[in-house]
Amino acid sequence: MIDLQPLARRLAGTPLAAWADTLPTQLDERLTRSHGDLQRWQAALQALPALTAERIELGEQVQLAGACDDATRAALRQALLGLSPWRKGPFDVFGVHVDTEWRSDWKWQRVAPHLDLTGRRILDVGCGNGYYMWRMLGAGADCVVGIDPNWLFFCQFLALRRYLPELPAWHLPLALEDLPEKLEGFDTVFSMGVLYHRRSPIDHLLALKDCLRRGGELLLETLVVEGDASTVLVPEDRYAQMRNVWFLPSVAALELWLRRAGFVEVRCVDVAVTSVEEQRATEWMKFQSLPDFLDPADHGKTVEGLPAPTRATLLARKP
Ligand SMILES: C[S@@+](CC[C@H](N)C(=O)[O-])C[C@H]1O[C@@H](n2cnc3c(N)ncnc32)[C@H](O)[C@@H]1O
């Protein structure tokens, strides 16, 4: 489904070259165990009309523009809807506004000012459909590799990539655990919205550190609670209706975890409460969303009575 030769060429001569050579075999093997809906999503990808992006905007938003008549735009819209639900975005594709569940552009506004991505080789762990990967290129990255085991998100990325074939962004349908140990080849590693899904959060931090070269930078974004360095919330059951949430530390606890994992220059650059304007159901994601997961009488609490989602962004360096 993807040609990995350009990635191998891009990574030739870097510490990641040997890994890049193993990827075609690994992905072929993953494809043999792929999701039952993959054929349907592949059909949606094949239904995407042939269009040429004449103007590409990735700095302020993700917007592709070029000649596209109304009938073609309608076909494009149908094909993209065939890849629903769309969670991360928004995207503006030849006049089709993909109004995703999340205003991921708002998160990017909180994160991007703290980073200089110029010329960086980046790994985005849990990249979803790759929304931030395009924004990283817009911020001057040299190349971006995203990993996410979710096949639908992989297909959504391919839909955008169809119109941006030359850009140095590659989405691999892999989990962090599928990467070899001690890759040590990325200048910047992102882990956004992943840590609270991990049962062993410090192992996750160590695995992220393994992907960085010496001196490389980690951007970590995750759910937090208020408290001191000894405060960590482990939900008894669900959190905001999610079953797979394990550890919600305070910012101070998270900073401590990062230092224990061997990072230096650990600092929190942003803390933000997630609003019902930032995460909500739309035509492109029709299931329940944040407004349904909060206590209707008190948006400061989840329906389980726990503190409502608050996210922190931290930076740290591998010595
Ligand atoms: C809450 S989403 C966050 C997406 C995006 N990074 C963001 O901040 O909006 C978590 C993502 O992590 C992915 N994920 C879960 N386990 C993972 C793992 N072990 N390795 C890599 N990605 C994983 C999920 O498929 C999902 O797309």
Coordinates of all heavy atoms in Angstrom, one line a residue, residues 88 107 126 128 132 148-150 153 175-177 192-194 196-198, ligand 1:
K88 N -8.9 13.5 14.0 CA -7.9 14.6 14.2 C -7.9 15.4 12.9 O -7.8 14.9 11.8 CB -6.5 14.0 14.5 CG -6.5 13.0 15.6 CD -6.8 13.6 17.0 CE -7.1 12.6 18.0 NZ -6.9 12.9 19.3
K107 N -4.4 22.3 19.6 CA -3.3 21.7 20.3 C -2.0 22.2 19.7 O -1.0 22.5 20.4 CB -3.4 20.2 20.3 CG -2.4 19.5 21.2 CD -2.2 18.0 21.0 CE -3.3 17.2 21.6 NZ -3.0 15.8 21.6
G126 N 2.2 7.4 17.9 CA 0.7 7.6 18.0 C 0.2 8.8 17.2 O -0.5 9.6 17.7
G128 N -1.9 9.1 14.9 CA -3.3 9.1 14.4 C -3.2 9.2 12.9 O -2.5 8.4 12.2
Y132 N -0.6 16.1 12.6 CA 0.5 16.9 13.1 C 1.7 16.7 12.2 O 2.6 17.5 12.2 CB 0.8 16.5 14.5 CG -0.3 16.8 15.5 CD1 -1.1 15.7 16.0 CD2 -0.7 18.1 15.8 CE1 -2.1 16.0 16.9 CE2 -1.7 18.3 16.7 CZ -2.5 17.3 17.2 OH -3.5 17.5 18.0
D148 N 1.5 4.5 14.0 CA 0.2 4.3 14.7 C -0.4 3.0 14.2 O -0.5 2.8 13.0 CB -0.7 5.5 14.4 CG -1.9 5.5 15.4 OD1 -2.6 4.5 15.5 OD2 -2.0 6.6 16.1
P149 N -0.7 2.1 15.1 CA -1.2 0.8 14.7 C -2.6 0.7 14.1 O -3.0 -0.3 13.6 CB -1.1 -0.1 16.0 CG -1.2 0.9 17.1 CD -0.6 2.2 16.6
N150 N -3.3 1.9 14.1 CA -4.7 1.9 13.7 C -4.8 2.0 12.2 O -4.3 3.0 11.6 CB -5.4 3.1 14.4 CG -6.8 3.2 14.1 OD1 -7.2 3.3 12.9 ND2 -7.6 3.1 15.1
F153 N -6.7 5.1 10.6 CA -5.9 6.3 10.6 C -4.8 6.3 9.5 O -4.5 7.3 8.9 CB -5.3 6.6 12.0 CG -6.3 6.7 13.1 CD1 -6.0 6.5 14.4 CD2 -7.7 7.0 12.8 CE1 -6.9 6.5 15.4 CE2 -8.6 7.0 13.8 CZ -8.3 6.8 15.1
A175 N 3.1 -0.1 16.1 CA 3.1 0.4 17.4 C 4.6 0.7 17.8 O 5.5 0.2 17.2 CB 2.5 -0.6 18.4
L176 N 4.7 1.5 18.9 CA 6.1 1.8 19.4 C 6.9 0.5 19.7 O 8.1 0.4 19.5 CB 6.0 2.7 20.6 CG 7.3 3.2 21.2 CD1 8.2 3.9 20.3 CD2 7.0 4.1 22.5
E177 N 6.1 -0.5 20.2 CA 6.8 -1.8 20.6 C 7.3 -2.5 19.4 O 8.1 -3.5 19.5 CB 5.8 -2.7 21.3 CG 5.1 -2.1 22.5 CD 3.9 -1.2 22.1 OE1 2.8 -1.7 21.9 OE2 4.1 0.0 21.9
M192 N 2.1 12.3 21.8 CA 1.0 13.2 22.2 C -0.3 12.3 22.4 O -0.6 11.6 21.4 CB 0.7 14.3 21.2 CG 2.0 15.2 21.0 SD 1.6 16.7 20.2 CE 1.4 16.2 18.5
G193 N -0.9 12.3 23.5 CA -2.1 11.6 23.8 C -1.9 10.1 23.8 O -2.8 9.3 23.5
V194 N -0.7 9.6 24.2 CA -0.4 8.2 24.2 C -0.1 7.7 25.6 O -0.6 6.6 26.0 CB 0.8 7.8 23.2 CG1 1.0 6.3 23.2 CG2 0.5 8.3 21.8
Y196 N -1.1 8.1 28.6 CA -2.2 7.6 29.6 C -2.8 6.3 29.1 O -3.6 5.7 29.9 CB -3.2 8.7 29.8 CG -3.9 9.3 28.6 CD1 -5.0 8.6 28.0 CD2 -3.4 10.4 28.0 CE1 -5.6 9.2 26.9 CE2 -4.0 11.0 26.8 CZ -5.1 10.3 26.3 OH -5.7 10.9 25.2
H197 N -2.6 5.9 27.9 CA -3.1 4.6 27.4 C -2.1 3.5 27.7 O -2.4 2.3 27.4 CB -3.3 4.6 25.9 CG -4.4 5.5 25.4 ND1 -5.6 5.4 26.0 CD2 -4.5 6.4 24.4 CE1 -6.5 6.3 25.4 NE2 -5.8 6.9 24.5
R198 N -0.9 3.8 28.2 CA 0.1 2.8 28.5 C 0.0 2.3 29.9 O -0.1 3.1 30.8 CB 1.5 3.4 28.2 CG 1.7 4.0 26.8 CD 1.4 3.1 25.7 NE 2.2 1.9 25.7 CZ 1.8 0.7 25.1 NH1 0.7 0.6 24.4 NH2 2.6 -0.3 25.1
Ligands
LIG1 C1 -5.5 9.8 21.8 S1 -4.8 9.4 20.3 C2 -3.7 10.8 20.0 C3 -3.4 11.1 18.6 C4 -2.5 12.3 18.3 N1 -1.2 12.0 18.7 C5 -3.0 13.5 19.1 O1 -2.3 13.9 20.0 O2 -4.1 14.0 18.7 C6 -3.7 8.1 20.7 C7 -3.1 7.4 19.4 O3 -2.1 6.5 19.9 C8 -2.2 5.3 19.1 N2 -1.5 4.2 19.8 C9 -2.1 3.5 20.8 N3 -1.1 2.6 21.3 C10 0.0 2.8 20.6 C11 1.3 2.3 20.6 N4 1.6 1.3 21.4 N5 2.2 2.8 19.7 C12 1.9 3.8 18.9 N6 0.7 4.4 18.8 C13 -0.2 3.9 19.7 C14 -3.7 5.1 18.9 O4 -4.0 4.3 17.7 C15 -4.2 6.5 18.7 O5 -4.2 6.9 17.3

